[in-house]
Amino acid sequence: MAQERELKLITFSHFVPASDEELQRQLEEYGKQAGVKTRMDRVAHLQLPAVYASEVQGQKGHDLVALRVGEPHLYAKHLVELDDLVDKIGKRAGGWTDVVAGRGPDGKYRGIPWFFISFPIAIRTDLVAEIGENLPDTWEDVHRIGKKLKAKGNPVGIQLAHSADSNHILRGIIWSWGGKLVEEDGKTVAINSKETVEAYKFVKALYQDCMTEEVLAWDDRNNNVCLNSGKCGMILNPTSAYNSARKDNALVPGTDKPIHQVINHIMPPEGPAGRHMSAANQTLGIWNWSPLQDVAKGFLDYHFQKEQQEKHLAASLGYNQPFLSAFGMHPIYASNPKYYFAPYIGWYTHAPGWPGPPTGATDRVWNKFVIPDTMAAHATGKIDAEEAVNSAEAQIKRIYRRA
């Protein structure tokens, strides 16, 4: 008797659970059409690298895989080439807004560009009004306003810890000061510059003047909790914090006023070298040991059709920001003034390897938290800015030599 076929997908555990529920619904619906069983496994995003490494070593596990940062590059020889499907999907949806996401070292697509997750400022507008300030536009504004908010008991909340948010935000600060981790070739380490040193000094001032030491141990959830509990006055975060506050009907402490009504999102701050922020690029790939490669390709074709994409985007409450041009001005962004930033924030966001492409080495630097660790060491006064940057440079060069 023939064994029943099962199409298996692994993805990160989404911060908006309805997004995962819709993805699973689509997988199950496609499975019925294709005559296969389906299974979707969700894993905490910080645990995924270890899971993927295990699957690659054993050459078994799932068929479809959600990839981020430089994983399409890192695992290129274990992933099916998807150029034909990327071309087909792009043509029917007005093209792609990003030509880097999903590519391997040979320039071939090893993942379908899925969506990106951006990092605007999420801020308590009522608290800013109480201290007589306008909303911040620059990092210097953030520092000035943050000092006043902290004095009021509402500190800024930016992780200096082992979290994806920390990796993203701190890269954005470095870029906004004119620094960079690597050159445009994606190979030449370039972090050791006066611009990067100044960025490290700014983060120290921001930490000491505007934050509390709890940020040194925060994960990607803690800043959401800090904002929604009424403690933090400002964080940088996707819309998940706001959406959670709205769903849970969290209240401004000591009042019956829903806190989501006084939270707004604005563009990431501008620095001396412009407005820059890292984005969490997500792609979908197929392991090349999968016995169901054609079925997996069929699911990707199905999932990226207009009807399915609209449902997935709506389920995420706009958290999933599409790479397909046809969905860039989706009506969901006009449905709530708190989402006004979404169609435009892509102008200022980059993949973590910027100005080069995200590579396998990018991914290793990311997963070792080189930037958060050296930033935290300087911010807490353990080493000076030059020492911190020298340490980051030595670690990054070591990783790139082995890439």
Side-chain angles (χ1 to χ4, degrees):
M1 184 176 178
Q3 185 176 9
E4 190 171 15
R5 300 187 303 169
E6 183 178 44
L7 182 66
K8 300 182 291 293
L9 182 154
I10 184 170
T11 184
F12 72 100
S13 187
H14 205 287
F15 282 85
V16 183
S19 178
D20 281 343
E21 292 166 9
E22 174 58 25
L23 180 62
Q24 184 158 356
R25 185 200 66 77
Q26 291 185 22
L27 184 66
E28 292 171 353
E29 181 64 29
Y30 172 76
K32 292 174 185 176
Q33 297 176 17
V36 297
K37 290 178 62 179
T38 59
R39 190 181 94 206
M40 188 174 107
D41 294 318
R42 293 173 284 183
V43 178
H45 63 288
L46 293 180
Q47 296 172 12
L48 276 175
V51 175
Y52 292 166
S54 176
E55 293 201 358
V56 166
Q57 184 175 18
Q59 295 288 286
K60 62 182 181 180
H62 295 80
D63 306 288
L64 289 151
V65 56
L67 304 162
R68 59 172 194 150
V69 192
E71 287 171 344
H73 199 284
L74 180 65
Y75 296 122
K77 67 180 181 180
H78 304 288
L79 293 163
V80 173
E81 189 238 291
L82 297 170
D83 279 21
D84 56 342
L85 199 50
V86 170
D87 184 60
K88 178 183 178 181
I89 293 168
K91 283 180 177 176
R92 72 184 181 211
W96 300 95
T97 61
D98 186 289
V99 296
V100 173
R103 291 185 187 267
D106 58 359
K108 302 286 187 180
Y109 280 97
R110 305 294 168 172
I112 307 285
W114 196 12
F115 57 85
F116 69 95
I117 302 166
S118 64
F119 284 80
I121 295 175
I123 191 165
R124 285 278 303 279
T125 55
D126 57 333
L127 297 179
V128 174
E130 286 175 16
I131 60 174
E133 286 279 3
N134 294 317
L135 296 177
D137 182 56
T138 68
W139 278 110
E140 290 303 329
D141 291 342
V142 169
H143 183 220
R144 184 188 70 257
I145 294 168
K147 288 174 72 173
K148 294 180 181 180
L149 287 173
K150 182 180 179 181
K152 185 178 172 58
N154 301 106
V156 173
I158 295 175
Q159 298 95 322
L160 296 177
H162 286 198
S163 68
D165 289 6
S166 187
N167 261 326
H168 283 297
I169 297 164
L170 298 180
R171 278 165 173 76
I173 293 175
I174 290 172
W175 298 336
S176 296
W177 256 256
K180 53 192 172 184
L181 276 65
V182 293
E183 298 289 358
E184 193 171 348
D185 62 9
K187 300 175 182 178
T188 306
V189 176
I191 191 171
N192 202 337
S193 68
K194 68 180 187 305
E195 292 83 4
T196 304
V197 169
E198 290 305 311
Y200 270 64
K201 289 179 180 178
F202 174 77
V203 170
K204 180 178 181 179
L206 194 65
Y207 168 73
Q208 294 188 341
D209 296 340
C210 309
M211 297 194 271
T212 59
E213 64 180 10
E214 62 190 320
V215 302
L216 300 171
W218 273 3
D219 61 19
D220 291 311
R221 181 175 174 272
N222 293 127
N223 60 337
N224 292 243
V225 173
C226 191
L227 183 71
N228 293 348
S229 69
K231 180 178 180 180
C232 276
M234 184 185 341
I235 65 174
L236 276 87
N237 200 72
T239 56
S240 51
Y242 165 78
N243 287 328
S244 294
R246 188 169 62 166
K247 177 185 175 185
D248 298 339
N249 197 32
L251 302 178
V252 175
T255 77
D256 58 0
K257 185 179 184 65
I259 201 167
H260 73 82
Q261 293 181 0
V262 290
I263 293 174
N264 204 354
H265 300 103
I266 57 177
M267 289 295 181
E270 184 176 9
R275 197 182 308 275
H276 300 277
M277 187 49 62
S278 176
N281 288 357
Q282 310 294 321
T283 61
L284 280 172
I286 303 169
W287 291 127
N288 62 13
W289 61 73
S290 166
L292 297 176
Q293 292 181 24
D294 288 342
V295 179
K297 281 188 175 183
F299 170 72
L300 293 176
D301 191 16
Y302 168 82
H303 174 63
F304 281 94
Q305 290 173 6
K306 184 176 187 293
E307 180 182 357
Q308 311 310 328
Q309 282 293 287
E310 294 221 347
K311 289 179 179 178
H312 193 227
L313 174 57
S316 78
L317 301 175
Y319 184 96
N320 303 343
Q321 296 185 241
F323 285 120
L324 285 167
S325 296
F327 303 99
M329 296 295 288
H330 192 275
I332 194 169
Y333 300 130
S335 70
N336 186 331
K338 307 298 177 77
Y339 301 152
Y340 90 94
F341 72 91
Y344 313 107
I345 196 170
W347 300 345
Y348 309 108
T349 57
H350 318 292
W354 189 80
T359 66
T362 305
D363 206 70
R364 293 186 180 98
V365 172
W366 183 273
N367 289 328
K368 287 185 176 294
F369 299 98
V370 174
I371 302 304
D373 283 350
T374 52
M375 283 274 199
H378 174 55
T380 54
K382 294 178 181 177
I383 53 178
D384 65 27
E386 289 78 10
E387 288 177 288
V389 173
N390 286 339
S391 175
E393 179 188 41
Q395 294 177 65
I396 294 171
K397 280 187 171 180
R398 189 158 53 245
I399 290 168
Y400 273 73
R401 279 197 299 268
R402 296 172 180 171

